[in-house]
Amino acid sequence: MALFEAHQLHLRFGDRVVLEDVSLAFEAGRLSGIMGPNGAGKTTCFNVLTGRYRPDRGRVMFDGADITGRSPQAIARLGIARSFQLMNLFDEFTVFENVAIALPQTRRRGADPIGQAYGDATVVEEAHELLDTVGLGARADHIAKALPYGERRALEIAVALASRPKLLFLDEPTAGLGSDGRARLAELVRRLKGQVTLVVIEHDMEFLFSLADTISVIHWGQVIARGSPDELRTNPWVKNSNLGKLA
Amino acid sequence: MRTGRTVPTLTPAMIAIWLAFATVPLWIEKVGLYQYLGVEILIFATYALAYNLVLGHSGLPSFGHGAFFGLGAYGFGLAQLNLVPDLWFCLAAAVVVASVGGALVAAFISHRRGIYYSLLTIAFGQVFWFIAIKSHAITGGEDGLLKIARLPARFGVATFDLTHNISLFYFVLAIFVVVSLLLWRLVHSPFGRILKAIKQNETRARFVGYDVWRFKAAVLVLSAGLSGLAGGLFAMAQSSAFPDVMSLHYSGYIVMMTLVGGGLVTFWGPVLGAIVFLLARDVIGAVTTGWMLWFGLLFVALVIHKPEGLGGMFIRPARPAPADAKK
Ligand SMILES: Nc1ncnc2c1ncn2[C@@H]1O[C@H](COP(=O)(O)OP(=O)(O)O)[C@@H](O)[C@H]1O
Ligand SMILES: [Mg+2]
C-alpha cells in the first residue's frame, strides 16, 4: 500500500463536475508529479486531499488510515503539509516568524498565555535551519510581504516544511518565476527529494520530467494518463498535446 | 517580531503610563475636571484594552461587546444584592457571568469570519440587551439595578474604604495595572502570536495545524471576562447598573475608542482612545449637547488623515522593504 492513496474521488461545484473518479497513489520517499492544463482540477484535487473540500464520493487514505473529510488542521497534524498556488503567508510577520509559528514546538505551546512566544530553545535554531534550506537565511528579519516574489515562493515552502511533514504537496511552486528562480527552486526540490515524500503540480515540463519518479496527467477532472517520465514521453496524448512539447 | 527576540514583561512606556495615571487625582480638579472622570477613564481604558484583544490583536470584528460589559455590571450588582456583599466575590461574579456569556456567543460564532462574525456579534448583543430590559424582576428593566454599594476592599489585615472617588480611583488603577500587564504578556505569548497569525491568514493557520476556532473561542471568552470585570467596576463606580451600556450604541463607543486611539497598531492605543473619548464627551459636551456630532466629525477626519489612529503617531513605521529586494 502506498503512503497516500485517493480512491475514486468525485467532486462537483453546483452542476459542474470538477473531479470525476480520480484515483491516485503516492509512494513514500518518491516525487510524484501532477500535470494538466489550466482548469483541469489539479488544485481542487489538492484541496480535497488536504481537507479543504470534502469529496462527494471517494476515499482518501494516509498511512493506512481513512482521512476523508477530516479538517485541514487535523490532516496537517498527521504530517501532511502543502504550499499554495496563490501565495498564502503571514504577511505582517517577519520571515523568521512565518516559519517559527508553523513549528510543532510553537503549536504545542499554543495554550500558553504568558510565556515568551518563541521561548522554546529549539525554535530559533530550527527556524534558521529551515530558512537556510530554502535560501532565506539572510532574510530572517524582513517582513514577509516586502520580499520579492521568488523569495516569497521559497518562504511558502519553508512554512510548509516547518511542520515537519511526512508528505508535502506543492502547487505550482515555480509559477511566475523567471528562469533563474526556476533553477533555484528545482535545486531546492531536488534536495528535498528523499527527505520527504513530495507531490508536485507543475506546468514546467522540464522541471517535472527531470525530477519526478511518476507523473499523473489530469484533464477534465480525470486522470487520463500515468507512468514514469519515460513512459509518458511516448504516451500519444502527451505527445499530441502542447504539454508534451518538451518530451 | 525579530528573530527569537524576547519581549520584556515591564517596559518603560508601561511604567510611564501607570505613573502618569497615579498622579491624576493630584491635579485633575485643578484643570477644571473632577475626580469621578478619572475613575471612568480608567474603567473604560480597561474595557478598551480587553476589547482590543479581540479587535486589534485577533482581527475579530465584534460589535456587540457591550453585552459583556453589561453582564459584568449586572453580575456584580446581583451578586452583591442577592448573594454575598463582598468585593472580591462580586468582582469574580462579574468576570464569571461575562465569561459564560462570552462562551455562549463563542459557541455560535467561532467558525465564522468577517462580516458574518460581525453580524452575529451584533445580533447576540441585541439579544442580551433585550433580555436585560425585559427581565424587570431581575435587572430592574429600564429603571436599572439601584443601590449597588461601593464595597470595601479587604486585604487580610487591612481594609480600604472605596466610597470616595480618590480611593476608588487607586483601586481601579491597581486593577488596570494587573489587567494591562496580563494582556501585554498574553499578546507576546505563544497564544498571542497564534492569534496574530490567525488574524493575518486564517487559512494558512489551519493548514499548519491550528484549530483556529478554538483560539477564536478562547480569546472571545477571555475578552468577555475582562470586559465584564470593567463592567463590574463601572456598576460599583456609579452605584447602579443600567441596560444602556449593553445597547448597540454603547458597543459602538468602545469600537470608536479603540480605533481612535490606534488599537490596530499599538498596544496602548485603546487607553489613549478612552481618554480622548471621555474628555471629548465632557469638554465638547459642556459647550453643546450635540457633542457626538462633533466627535463623529473628528472621527471622520481622523479616519481620513490618520487611519491607524492617534497611537500611530507614537510608533515607528514598519521596517521598509530591503533595498536589495527590488532586483
Ligand atoms: N471553489 C470553487 N467553486 C466553483 N468552482 C471552482 C472552485 N474551485 C475551482 N473551481 C473550478 O474547478 C475547475 C478546476 O479548477 P482548478 O482545480 O483550480 O484547476 P487547475 O488547478 O487544474 O488549474 C475550474 O473550472 C474552476 O473554475
Ligand atoms: Mg491550480
Side-chain angles (χ1 to χ4, degrees):
Chain A
M1 191 182 215
L3 178 66
F4 192 103
E5 292 180 2
H7 298 287
Q8 297 170 314
L9 298 176
H10 290 254
L11 183 73
R12 301 195 320 192
F13 287 124
D15 55 5
R16 230 201 104 119
V17 178
V18 183
L19 296 179
E20 193 176 350
D21 200 20
V22 170
S23 294
L24 295 162
F26 309 126
E27 297 285 344
R30 300 285 181 79
L31 191 155
S32 309
I34 293 180
M35 58 191 243
N38 263 326
K42 305 182 297 295
T43 296
T44 305
C45 184
F46 267 23
N47 282 336
V48 170
L49 301 182
T50 57
R52 195 173 206 176
Y53 303 144
R54 172 189 269 278
D56 298 325
R57 267 184 287 146
R59 281 189 310 143
V60 183
M61 309 283 296
F62 177 61
D63 232 352
D66 190 333
I67 60 165
T68 320
R70 294 218 199 152
S71 67
Q73 60 270 34
I75 291 178
R77 288 197 296 260
L78 291 174
I80 296 177
R82 67 172 292 180
S83 75
F84 290 82
Q85 182 177 357
L86 299 173
M87 266 178 290
N88 236 330
L89 294 167
F90 301 112
D91 277 334
E92 311 288 328
F93 275 173
T94 61
V95 167
F96 161 79
E97 208 174 359
N98 264 275
V99 174
I101 201 89
L103 287 170
Q105 300 94 299
T106 306
R107 194 172 68 221
R108 281 194 295 270
R109 292 182 58 219
D112 176 354
I114 46 176
Q116 288 290 347
Y118 307 115
D120 189 308
T122 60
V123 164
V124 175
E125 195 180 319
E126 285 190 29
H128 274 104
E129 240 167 65
L130 279 160
L131 290 177
D132 287 337
T133 305
V134 303
L136 290 177
R139 292 278 190 248
D141 287 335
H142 292 287
I143 299 292
K145 75 172 168 206
L147 289 185
Y149 188 83
E151 295 186 351
R152 285 171 60 83
R153 281 260 162 232
L155 181 56
E156 177 81 22
I157 294 177
V159 172
L161 283 173
S163 58
R164 301 280 169 218
K166 296 182 197 140
L167 179 71
L168 175 58
F169 288 102
L170 300 177
D171 193 349
E172 302 205 17
T174 71
L177 293 182
S179 55
D180 267 14
R182 272 162 199 263
R184 235 174 287 137
L185 227 113
E187 181 45 42
L188 169 59
V189 172
R190 200 183 305 278
R191 265 183 288 136
L192 292 177
K193 202 177 152 177
Q195 298 174 30
V196 51
T197 307
L198 286 155
V199 183
V200 184
I201 296 178
E202 194 42 73
H203 267 303
D204 185 331
M205 290 304 106
E206 196 184 317
F207 184 97
L208 211 54
F209 274 79
S210 67
L211 288 172
D213 298 303
T214 60
I215 296 176
S216 305
V217 182
I218 295 185
H219 201 359
W220 300 117
Q222 303 180 21
V223 180
I224 58 160
R226 76 177 93 230
S228 69
D230 284 339
E231 287 160 354
L232 281 186
R233 261 181 249 272
T234 58
N235 177 290
W237 188 88
V238 174
K239 264 183 162 169
N240 289 336
S241 79
N242 55 356
L243 289 171
K245 263 190 298 198
L246 275 165
Chain B
M1 195 176 296
R2 306 274 300 275
T3 315
R5 201 173 54 175
T6 55
V7 174
T9 298
L10 293 170
T11 66
M14 175 187 288
I15 292 165
I17 289 168
W18 293 343
L19 288 178
F21 269 123
T23 67
V24 165
L26 307 179
W27 50 260
I28 193 164
E29 284 175 333
K30 298 204 176 84
V31 296
L33 299 167
Y34 50 101
Q35 295 293 352
Y36 181 75
L37 181 62
V39 176
E40 232 182 335
I41 285 177
L42 272 180
I43 289 173
F44 277 91
T46 307
Y47 179 19
L49 278 178
Y51 173 65
N52 200 40
L53 189 55
V54 166
L55 183 74
H57 298 295
S58 313
L60 299 172
S62 162
F63 297 138
H65 244 60
F68 308 127
F69 186 79
L71 281 172
Y74 285 118
F76 183 90
L78 291 170
Q80 177 185 129
L81 299 174
N82 302 311
L83 298 169
V84 188
D86 172 76
L87 178 65
W88 305 118
F89 174 78
C90 294
L91 284 178
V95 174
V96 169
V97 170
S99 301
V100 170
L104 197 73
V105 176
F108 285 92
I109 70 175
S110 297
H111 287 281
R112 310 264 172 246
R113 339 180 177 186
I115 189 82
Y116 301 102
Y117 190 94
S118 298
L119 287 175
L120 285 170
T121 57
I122 291 174
F124 274 106
Q126 294 295 91
V127 168
F128 281 112
W129 173 66
F130 190 78
I131 293 172
I133 287 183
K134 292 298 168 189
S135 326
H136 209 281
I138 303 168
T139 63
E142 309 215 40
D143 300 332
L145 206 57
L146 305 175
K147 299 204 176 78
I148 296 174
R150 291 186 178 186
L151 300 166
R154 286 181 227 282
F155 295 88
V157 283
T159 296
F160 295 90
D161 175 70
L162 299 181
T163 48
H164 292 291
N165 283 329
I166 295 181
S167 46
L168 183 61
F169 178 90
Y170 283 108
F171 178 74
V172 177
L173 178 59
I175 290 192
F176 172 80
V177 165
V178 173
V179 169
S180 56
L181 194 61
L182 279 178
L183 289 177
W184 173 265
R185 261 306 0 135
L186 183 123
V187 165
H188 298 101
S189 71
F191 179 73
R193 298 315 286 180
I194 293 162
L195 291 175
K196 189 161 185 218
I198 291 171
K199 170 186 175 180
Q200 294 170 70
N201 195 333
E202 205 170 311
T203 303
R204 201 10 141 182
R206 295 186 75 196
F207 278 95
V208 296
Y210 288 108
D211 279 317
V212 164
W213 72 270
R214 281 181 205 270
F215 285 87
K216 285 163 74 172
V219 75
L220 187 67
V221 172
L222 223 97
S223 170
L226 292 174
S227 300
L229 176 62
L233 292 171
F234 192 57
M236 177 153 96
Q238 57 172 10
S239 305
S240 52
F242 294 98
D244 57 353
V245 293
M246 300 175 93
S247 66
L248 190 53
H249 223 73
Y250 267 79
S251 291
Y253 288 168
I254 198 69
V255 179
M256 243 197 260
M257 287 183 206
T258 303
L259 291 178
V260 164
L264 299 187
V265 293
T266 147
F267 180 87
W268 298 104
V271 176
L272 182 61
I275 297 170
V276 169
F277 186 93
L278 291 174
L279 277 181
R281 182 197 65 186
D282 276 25
V283 174
I284 308 176
V287 186
T288 159
T289 49
W291 76 275
M292 211 43 219
L293 168 70
W294 298 103
F295 191 81
L297 290 174
L298 262 170
F299 188 56
V300 170
L302 189 75
V303 169
I304 291 170
H305 294 291
K306 201 124 196 79
E308 71 275 23
L310 296 173
M313 294 187 294
F314 298 100
I315 55 166
R316 272 165 276 126
R319 200 180 168 81
D324 56 343
K326 301 261 158 53
K327 285 189 291 216

